[in-house]
Structures are given as structure tokens and as C-alpha cells.
Amino acid sequence: MYICGQILLHKKMNWQKYYLLYDLHLQKIKRILGLISELIIFVCALSTIFSLIYFYGFNTTILNVSDTKYSFKLILGFFLMGITIRYLCNFKEVRNERLFGVEIFINSIAILYFLALSLEHAFAQTLFSIDRNIFSIILLILLSFMHSSRIIFTLFNRALKPSTLLVLSFFFIIMLGAGLLILPNASNVNLPFIDALFMATSAVCVTGLTPVDVASTFTQTGYIILLILIQIGGIGMLTFTSFFALAFMGKASFSSRMIVKDVLQENSWTGLFAILRRVILVTLTIELIGAYCIWRQIHGTLDMNLHEELFFSVFHAVSAYCNAGISTLSGNLHDPLVTGNYGLQMFVAFLIIIGGIGYPIVSNYFRLIRHYIHNVFNLLIGRQKRYDHIPHIINLHTRIVLVTTTILIVGGTALFYLFESNQYLAGLSFQGKLCTSFFGAVTPRTAGFNAFNTAALSNSTLFLMVGLMLIGASPMSTGGGLKTTTFAVALVSAFSFVRGKNSVEVARREIPIYSIQRAFAILVLYFCWAVMATFGLSISEGEAPIFTLFFEVISALSTVGLSLNFTPELSFTGKIIIILTMFVGRVGVLSFFMGIFKEVKRKYYEYPSENLLMG
């Protein structure tokens, strides 16, 4: 019995050993197949991009038009193969995705559509009776965004810090946009690459400076490319990527959450996906409402059909909310077709303001309204007897931004009216003067739409506009500049120091030393870059007035887009300087330098301090 027991125990141990080896090899095989599936999916996503570029970016012939159906079918088939392998190897992880049900729904439609293309049966043709190429493109773009965002986000967050990833994301989309804009079908002329790069940078960095006439240079395809670049640049490439990555991946890693937290400038990483979702939904909702309001103002006035009017409205709503300032009209909003359309100017101005104050402000007031409605409803139905007050919904950031923004807009409007009432605005009615003055105070704060001839304004007005451009919009907005909070914190800190106070206090709240250091670091880096860029232009642009060069640099660095009609006159070197300036301005001078310099490890010692003589 003892011997039999030992034999059985030995066999049991051998079986356990074999099982462990089997399980180990199985896990290795699953990992290898998982990597293969991710590679197939990523290659299919790239193939989708290149196929769209090939078929719609070049002048198509009968041969390659007939090939589109086969090419899209082939890519879709490999896509589904890679997704299937991924499901078989990592189903437990896939099942934990936030939008697993949505992914299953989209994949099911893709499978049915692929079968319909393959069978060519009458029932299949009836089931998908819409344009096959359009449906294929929509499916492939959805699948590409879902899976490539997850792959790229996971790949890069392991090796790069957030600031570096931010810089690289903007660089990537700018280069891709420049490549798309030089395609034959994107423009009516042979567009030089430097101008395509300039336009792509201006669109992604939501600046609005244009070396060419947008209306006569680009085709409808070019307009669509610019629109997509503006939208991605306004919301932020990382915001889009993070949304799709967190939506279609399992539990986010610590590094992933840190990157998203840094992108959103949030204090906590809880509920980051919900915040990303609200950012995108709020943006699209405001843009749709703005597009409808703009359409009501231009309907039947621009000699356009309904399709052209709708596209015009959507383009300008997105360009206004994202503070891009790019228009499809030859003279921007100073074009004779819309010069007297003050309703259009007002709606564009309000979109600029909403986009410029930033998502956190909109979110705070949304919470306040929801809190108020909830309390009123509970009081009416008798669920509670008194109003439940929740303090600190409108936080210090919101108060600083709103107060600073209101002062700048009201003060800017009054000064613009005062300086130009008897000069540039002399021939207008009181309504026209007031509306133009209001627009003139709003658009320098990083929007760049031109409802007037900037070069014809007085020196005092131009100096006012430089001041507005310097301050710019607010953090977590679609605008640039020093930002309202940076300006306010630096100003309050200076006054506190003059008065001999040991702390900086605003509205019974103390500003931490880190925020003060950050504000002054942004100020120093901003003006250092502005001086260097102006000096570079003074060398490359010959006899151009120094104020014109400084105005151009500040407009680019604050991502405004206003110009003294000098952008088309820039030399090749001058365009490179302005391109770099727009890029740094959109990324942020602080984020840019943090991204390119190596982070110093925290030290656990201190040197003896010594005072310096200062003025």
C-alpha cells in the first residue's frame, strides 16, 4: 500500500509539473499571438490612412476607383482577423473595457458588412444598400480610432513623460496635416511644402495666421482637412487619444492615469474617463449650437446652396470655438459678403469667449445648475425642507478666470471704441461701432478672426491689442497666451510683495508657492522666446518695421492669428521662425521646455542660502 501510494504521489507530482509547463507555454503562446494581433490591427489602421490618402488625395482614375471596394474589403478582413485573435487570447482583459458593449456592437456590424461584401447576395445588398465606400470608410475609421489609440497610448506612456508626449502628439499631427494639404486634391494650386506646413501648424495650433488666401488656394477636400486639424488641435490630440485609449482598454495603468491627469490638469485621477467624455461631448454640443446660430445669420445671404451654407456654419463654429480664426472667405470676416453682418460677428465672438474660458469653468457652472435644479425639485416634492448648500462649487480658479476675462473684454471694448470711434469706425452706426469694438476686444484674446483691417488701426489700438494678445485665454481652453490665471497670479503676487505681505491671498484663499513659481517661470520663458523670435525675424526680414515683427511674433506665440498684413510677405526663414513660435505657443512655453529637457531628480539636501542684491 505504501509503495502504491508513493507511485501515485509521484505520478501526481509529474502531472502537476507537466500542467505547469503546459500552462507556462500556453501563456507564452497567448502573449505572442496577442502581440501579433496588435501588430495586425496597427498595420490595418495605417493601411486605412494611406488608402484614404491615395484614393481621395490624388486625382482618381476609373481603375483605382474600382479598386477602392476591394482594398477596403481586404483591410476590413485583416482588421477582423486581428480583433478575433485578440479576443481569443485576451478575452478577460477585453471584457473589462469600459465600452466593451459598444466595441462588440461595432465589430458585429463590421462582420455582417464583411460577409455582405463577400457573399454579394441579394439579401446582403438590401441590408447594406447605402454607398459601399462611405460605409467602409466609416467602419474602418471607427475601428482605427478604437484600437490604434489604445496601442499608441500604451506604447508611448511606458517610455515618455507627459510633457514630452504632449509635444510629440502635436508634432505628429502637424506633419500628417502638412502631408495631407500638399495632396493634389486638397488645393487648387501647386502648394509649396513650407506653406502646407505653415497652414497645418496654424490649424493644429489654432492660430489663424495664413501665408496664402485660404478661399482661393484650397478645395473642399482641403477645407475638410483644415477643419479636422482645427478640431483635433482645439481639443488636443492627447485628449482624443486618451479618450479612445481609456474607452477601449482594460484597467488603466498608473502611468496611463498620470498622463491623462496631466493632460486634463486635474488634481485627482478618479473619474478621468468621465471627464474626457464630458470634454468631448460639451465641445461638440456647443459647436453644433453655434453652427446652427451662424447658419441662421447667413442663410440666403452668401449665394450658397444649403450644403455649402451648412459646411460654412460648421467650419466657422469649430474655428471660433477652438479659437483658430481661420475662415473660408477671402477677407476672413472682413470680407464684403459679411462685413455688415453683426449677428454673425456676435455669435462668433460668444463662441470665442466660451472656448477661451476653458472646460473647467463650463463644468463648474454645469455642476452649480444641476445642484440648484436638484434642490428645487426636492423642495417642491417635499423630499427635503431646506436648501442644501454645497460650498466651493465655484472655486478660486473659476472666479479668477471670470473676473479677469470680464475686465479684459469690457475694458478692451471701451478702449477700442474710444480710440477708433472718430477714426476707423467713423463711418459706422452706433450699433456697428459697438459691435466692432466688442469683436475687436474679443478676437485678440487668441481667436484671430478679422472683422476689420488691422493695419489701418491707430497705434494706440494696436498697442491695446498686443496687451490683450499677451494675456490670452484661460487654462484648459482652446486658446493660448500667458493665460488669465498666470497674469492674475503674477499681478497679485507683485502687489503682495510691494505691500510687504508674506503670502499671496485671493478671495480668502492662499495661492501656493508652486503656482507662483509656475506663473513667473511662464512669464520669463514667454518673453525670452518672444525676444529671440523677434530678433530672428529682424535678421531674416530685412527692413520690416520692428513693431510689425513684434506684433507677428506675439500673435503667433499667443496663437492669435492677427497680422498687420505681413504673413504673406514672410521669407522662408521667417516662416520657419513663425511655425516654431506657433508650435511653442500652442504646446505652452513651459510644457515645451519641460518636454525637451531632462527632468532633474529630487534632491534630499539643501545648500546654504545667500541673498542677492536686486533693484
Side-chain angles (χ1 to χ4, degrees), residues 282 286 321 354-355 357-368 398:
V282 167
I286 293 174
Y321 180 78
I354 295 171
I357 63 175
Y359 168 77
I361 312 298
V362 178
S363 176
N364 275 340
Y365 274 95
F366 175 78
R367 287 177 58 205
L368 181 65
T398 302

Side-chain angles (χ1 to χ4, degrees), residues 204-207 230-231 233-236 283 287 318-324 351-359 445-447 473-481 483 558-559 586:
V204 174
C205 298
V206 289
T207 305
I230 291 170
Q231 185 70 88
I235 295 181
T283 298
E287 288 173 349
V318 173
S319 184
Y321 180 78
C322 293
N323 280 216
L351 284 171
I352 292 169
I353 294 171
I354 295 171
I357 63 175
Y359 168 77
R445 301 190 57 244
T446 83
S474 302
M476 268 298 290
S477 72
T478 57
K483 303 297 173 63
S558 291
T559 67
R586 180 63 183 99

Side-chain angles (χ1 to χ4, degrees), residues 181 191 194-204 209-212 214 218 226 229 326 579 582:
L181 288 176
L191 189 68
I194 185 64
D195 288 337
L197 181 62
F198 196 107
M199 284 301 306
T201 307
S202 183
V204 174
L209 293 173
T210 54
V212 296
V214 176
F218 296 103
L226 286 174
L229 293 177
I326 297 177
I579 286 171
M582 289 190 292

Side-chain angles (χ1 to χ4, degrees), residues 271-408:
L272 290 177
F273 177 71
I275 296 172
L276 283 168
R277 183 178 57 198
R278 284 199 297 269
V279 168
I280 293 176
L281 287 178
V282 167
T283 298
L284 296 179
T285 301
I286 293 174
E287 288 173 349
L288 285 174
I289 295 172
Y292 173 74
C293 294
I294 291 175
W295 177 77
R296 290 294 301 270
Q297 293 299 317
I298 58 99
H299 180 53
T301 64
L302 300 181
D303 193 25
M304 296 179 179
N305 57 40
L306 181 61
H307 173 77
E308 292 171 335
E309 286 181 348
L310 291 175
F311 182 80
F312 176 92
S313 303
V314 171
F315 188 98
H316 285 77
V318 173
S319 184
Y321 180 78
C322 293
N323 280 216
I326 297 177
S327 174
T328 57
L329 298 172
S330 290
N332 206 281
L333 296 188
H334 188 52
D335 193 281
L337 293 172
V338 295
T339 300
N341 194 335
Y342 298 123
L344 170 64
Q345 293 181 22
M346 293 301 290
F347 282 121
V348 169
F350 283 125
L351 284 171
I352 292 169
I353 294 171
I354 295 171
I357 63 175
Y359 168 77
I361 312 298
V362 178
S363 176
N364 275 340
Y365 274 95
F366 175 78
R367 287 177 58 205
L368 181 65
I369 293 171
R370 185 178 61 181
H371 173 68
Y372 177 76
I373 293 173
H374 176 77
N375 273 274
V376 170
F377 178 76
N378 286 340
L379 287 170
L380 290 175
I381 64 175
R383 184 177 295 176
Q384 63 188 48
K385 296 182 179 180
R386 61 186 180 84
Y387 185 89
D388 290 335
H389 175 67
I390 299 180
H392 211 53
I393 290 181
I394 304 303
N395 56 22
L396 181 61
H397 170 82
T398 302
R399 292 179 181 179
I400 290 177
V401 167
L402 290 182
V403 170
T404 309
T405 300
T406 303
I407 291 173
L408 291 173

Side-chain angles (χ1 to χ4, degrees), residues 56-341:
Y56 295 97
F58 295 89
N59 293 317
T60 56
T61 62
I62 297 175
L63 176 63
N64 56 39
V65 165
S66 63
D67 286 344
T68 56
K69 178 180 175 181
Y70 176 76
S71 299
F72 291 149
K73 175 185 172 182
L74 186 65
I75 296 171
L76 184 59
F78 276 102
F79 237 132
L80 293 175
M81 183 179 71
I83 292 169
T84 303
I85 296 173
R86 177 173 177 258
Y87 278 12
L88 292 175
C89 296
N90 303 305
F91 186 73
K92 288 183 179 179
E93 294 181 8
V94 174
R95 192 174 55 186
N96 292 327
E97 294 174 355
R98 287 180 176 86
L99 298 183
F100 175 66
V102 175
E103 184 176 349
I104 289 293
F105 177 73
I106 294 173
N107 291 337
S108 300
I109 293 177
I111 292 171
L112 289 174
Y113 181 66
F114 180 76
L115 292 175
L117 288 177
S118 302
L119 296 175
E120 292 291 346
H121 194 270
F123 172 75
Q125 293 179 1
T126 304
L127 184 63
F128 296 97
S129 57
I130 64 173
D131 190 318
R132 296 292 181 86
N133 284 342
I134 298 288
F135 200 82
S136 298
I137 291 169
I138 293 172
L139 272 178
L140 289 173
I141 290 176
L142 277 175
L143 293 172
S144 299
F145 264 109
M146 283 164 47
H147 297 286
S148 61
S149 297
R150 171 179 50 79
I151 295 170
I152 294 172
F153 191 83
T154 305
L155 179 65
F156 280 106
N157 74 40
R158 294 176 179 174
L160 300 174
K161 57 184 180 180
S163 52
T164 306
L165 189 57
L166 179 67
V167 172
L168 290 178
S169 68
F170 275 102
F171 177 77
F172 170 76
I173 196 65
I174 286 170
M175 296 307 297
L176 178 62
L180 293 175
L181 288 176
I182 61 173
L183 295 173
N185 280 0
S187 62
N188 297 312
V189 298
N190 186 16
L191 189 68
F193 180 75
I194 185 64
D195 288 337
L197 181 62
F198 196 107
M199 284 301 306
T201 307
S202 183
V204 174
C205 298
V206 289
T207 305
L209 293 173
T210 54
V212 296
D213 179 33
V214 176
S216 60
T217 301
F218 296 103
T219 63
Q220 186 72 15
T221 302
Y223 291 156
I224 293 172
I225 293 170
L226 286 174
L227 178 64
I228 294 172
L229 293 177
I230 291 170
Q231 185 70 88
I232 293 176
I235 295 181
M237 181 64 182
L238 275 184
T239 303
F240 272 114
T241 307
S242 301
F243 172 76
F244 282 99
L246 294 184
F248 298 103
M249 67 188 297
K251 185 178 180 181
S253 64
F254 176 80
S255 58
S256 301
R257 288 182 289 172
M258 284 296 293
I259 286 178
V260 180
K261 174 179 172 290
D262 190 77
V263 169
L264 298 176
Q265 297 182 18
E266 288 288 322
N267 295 323
S268 173
W269 54 43
T270 57
L272 290 177
F273 177 71
I275 296 172
L276 283 168
R277 183 178 57 198
R278 284 199 297 269
V279 168
I280 293 176
L281 287 178
V282 167
T283 298
L284 296 179
T285 301
I286 293 174
E287 288 173 349
L288 285 174
I289 295 172
Y292 173 74
C293 294
I294 291 175
W295 177 77
R296 290 294 301 270
Q297 293 299 317
I298 58 99
H299 180 53
T301 64
L302 300 181
D303 193 25
M304 296 179 179
N305 57 40
L306 181 61
H307 173 77
E308 292 171 335
E309 286 181 348
L310 291 175
F311 182 80
F312 176 92
S313 303
V314 171
F315 188 98
H316 285 77
V318 173
S319 184
Y321 180 78
C322 293
N323 280 216
I326 297 177
S327 174
T328 57
L329 298 172
S330 290
N332 206 281
L333 296 188
H334 188 52
D335 193 281
L337 293 172
V338 295
T339 300
N341 194 335

Side-chain angles (χ1 to χ4, degrees), residues 281-590:
L281 287 178
V282 167
T283 298
L284 296 179
T285 301
I286 293 174
E287 288 173 349
L288 285 174
I289 295 172
Y292 173 74
C293 294
I294 291 175
W295 177 77
R296 290 294 301 270
Q297 293 299 317
I298 58 99
H299 180 53
T301 64
L302 300 181
D303 193 25
M304 296 179 179
N305 57 40
L306 181 61
H307 173 77
E308 292 171 335
E309 286 181 348
L310 291 175
F311 182 80
F312 176 92
S313 303
V314 171
F315 188 98
H316 285 77
V318 173
S319 184
Y321 180 78
C322 293
N323 280 216
I326 297 177
S327 174
T328 57
L329 298 172
S330 290
N332 206 281
L333 296 188
H334 188 52
D335 193 281
L337 293 172
V338 295
T339 300
N341 194 335
Y342 298 123
L344 170 64
Q345 293 181 22
M346 293 301 290
F347 282 121
V348 169
F350 283 125
L351 284 171
I352 292 169
I353 294 171
I354 295 171
I357 63 175
Y359 168 77
I361 312 298
V362 178
S363 176
N364 275 340
Y365 274 95
F366 175 78
R367 287 177 58 205
L368 181 65
I369 293 171
R370 185 178 61 181
H371 173 68
Y372 177 76
I373 293 173
H374 176 77
N375 273 274
V376 170
F377 178 76
N378 286 340
L379 287 170
L380 290 175
I381 64 175
R383 184 177 295 176
Q384 63 188 48
K385 296 182 179 180
R386 61 186 180 84
Y387 185 89
D388 290 335
H389 175 67
I390 299 180
H392 211 53
I393 290 181
I394 304 303
N395 56 22
L396 181 61
H397 170 82
T398 302
R399 292 179 181 179
I400 290 177
V401 167
L402 290 182
V403 170
T404 309
T405 300
T406 303
I407 291 173
L408 291 173
I409 292 176
V410 174
T413 302
L415 290 175
F416 193 102
Y417 186 91
L418 178 66
F419 295 153
E420 299 296 336
S421 180
N422 297 321
Q423 296 188 50
Y424 185 80
L425 304 177
L428 301 179
S429 62
F430 175 75
Q431 179 190 6
K433 290 181 179 180
L434 191 61
C435 182
T436 306
S437 300
F438 177 73
F439 197 86
V442 171
T443 193
R445 301 190 57 244
T446 83
F449 277 107
N450 235 337
F452 39 78
N453 183 8
T454 309
L457 299 176
S458 63
N459 289 333
S460 54
T461 306
L462 292 176
F463 190 78
L464 168 67
M465 296 178 79
V466 168
L468 294 173
M469 289 192 297
L470 281 170
I471 299 170
S474 302
M476 268 298 290
S477 72
T478 57
L482 288 171
K483 303 297 173 63
T484 52
T485 50
T486 303
F487 172 74
V489 168
L491 191 64
V492 173
S493 300
F495 276 109
S496 296
F497 185 81
V498 168
R499 295 170 62 192
K501 295 183 67 175
N502 295 325
S503 60
V504 180
E505 300 168 356
V506 178
R508 298 182 180 179
R509 291 290 187 276
E510 184 174 336
I511 307 296
I513 188 66
Y514 173 78
S515 297
I516 298 171
Q517 290 175 337
R518 186 181 179 94
F520 280 102
I522 292 172
L523 279 169
V524 171
L525 293 173
Y526 182 96
F527 283 108
C528 284
W529 187 280
V531 169
M532 289 190 299
T534 305
F535 179 70
L537 285 182
S538 68
I539 297 173
S540 66
E541 305 310 308
E543 300 300 321
I546 193 67
F547 181 77
T548 301
L549 302 180
F550 182 71
F551 193 96
E552 194 82 9
V553 167
I554 296 301
S555 179
L557 189 56
S558 291
T559 67
V560 178
L562 294 175
S563 175
L564 301 179
N565 300 330
F566 187 70
T567 307
E569 307 299 324
L570 286 169
S571 64
F572 180 87
T573 306
K575 288 177 181 177
I576 294 295
I577 293 173
I578 294 299
I579 286 171
L580 290 173
T581 304
M582 289 190 292
F583 181 80
V584 172
R586 180 63 183 99
V587 173
V589 286
L590 190 59

